[in-house]
Amino acid sequence: MVGGMPLVDAHVHLPRLKELKPFWFDWARKYGELPLGRLYDEDGRPIPQAVEAFFAEEGVDVVLLLPEYSPRTVGIHPYEDLLPVVAYNPRRFRFLANLNPHLHYPLVEHIERQLEAGAVGLKLHPVHGGFPVDHPELFPVYWVLQERGLPVVFHTGVSSFPGSVNTYATPEPIEALARIFPDLKIVLAHGGRGWWYGAAASLALMYPNVWIELSGLAPTKLPEYYRGYDLKRLARKFIFGTDWPGVPGIQRNAQALLDLGWDRETLERIFWRNALEVYRIEV
């Protein structure tokens, strides 16, 4: 908990170390914390007990873990690698599915498999995966998620990782998806970081089924990122996430949001209520 409120971190990476490329470690060290010796065993696998203790110390009540299938950038981090941590404490740890149209076919079969394993939604990374969000093979997947009341989380905003296709980083094509699938819950991870803060803000304010997830964004700069918008109103559509380990500290980010002086109701929405609504998780 933080400030007497439950805390959900909706954006955490916990891949096996042997699956990672060197620049992933550079990213983690540059922007955050990487307690490798504490959280991983000699084979580079996360130690469930240690991971549990770490996030408990950081005050995180629920952690959403992200697999990724992006061989041209960060590599392939299978969802199966996350299952031992989820099984150790399924109340604290959940995971999102991940798909890449270049690797998975048919997509519906693969999303069904990951949902059966316990995924609480789908994360898509068009920038690292090298595909557009309106790829025609993704539309049946969006329909499945809408029918089941589960969210799709899109990476929106630039990435500096080698191999990234930042042409696919814009949130603008997502506007059509919000109209085609009016009941599909849509989360904009990173909030349009870089060139598209305004597009992300406009979507979140225009559509009741669109939220902004704050991973990779400095809380103290939110008024700067979204200047020109009703930040108090927009903040009620925020979901807390860090992009750990690429963050100086989960607790520090949460405290920085507290220091912005928003009212209790807004902070509760950011820290846990919006995540509860979107991901249908218990806190």
Side-chain angles (χ1 to χ4, degrees), residues 173-197:
I174 297 171
E175 194 272 336
L177 300 178
R179 287 187 285 105
I180 296 168
F181 301 98
D183 296 320
L184 175 63
K185 293 182 284 191
I186 295 172
V187 179
L188 308 178
H190 314 302
R193 179 177 61 199
W195 304 326
W196 300 285
Y197 291 118

Side-chain angles (χ1 to χ4, degrees), residues 9-70:
D9 190 335
H11 198 115
V12 168
H13 300 278
L14 195 70
R16 290 177 57 189
L17 299 183
K18 290 184 178 180
E19 297 165 350
L20 298 174
K21 298 182 180 181
F23 55 77
W24 191 94
F25 294 94
D26 295 338
W27 163 77
R29 294 188 184 97
K30 180 177 180 180
Y31 295 105
E33 51 190 23
L34 196 60
L36 300 183
R38 175 182 176 186
L39 301 185
Y40 287 86
D41 64 20
E42 293 180 355
D43 293 324
R45 297 177 182 270
I47 305 170
Q49 301 94 321
V51 173
E52 157 79 7
F54 173 80
F55 283 97
E57 290 169 8
E58 286 290 318
V60 185
D61 297 276
V62 178
V63 180
L64 297 187
L65 301 171
L66 307 183
E68 187 165 343
Y69 296 86
S70 300

Side-chain angles (χ1 to χ4, degrees), residues 212-257:
I212 286 176
E213 187 244 278
L214 299 175
S215 55
L217 302 181
T220 56
K221 293 186 177 181
L222 290 173
E224 175 186 340
Y225 297 151
Y226 298 109
R227 60 183 178 276
Y229 291 86
D230 184 343
L231 187 57
K232 183 176 181 180
R233 180 180 165 219
L234 182 63
R236 295 185 174 222
K237 301 295 293 290
F238 287 163
I239 294 173
F240 183 81
T242 60
D243 213 9
W244 187 92
V247 61
I250 300 171
Q251 188 81 242
R252 285 175 59 183
N253 262 33
Q255 184 59 52
L257 285 170

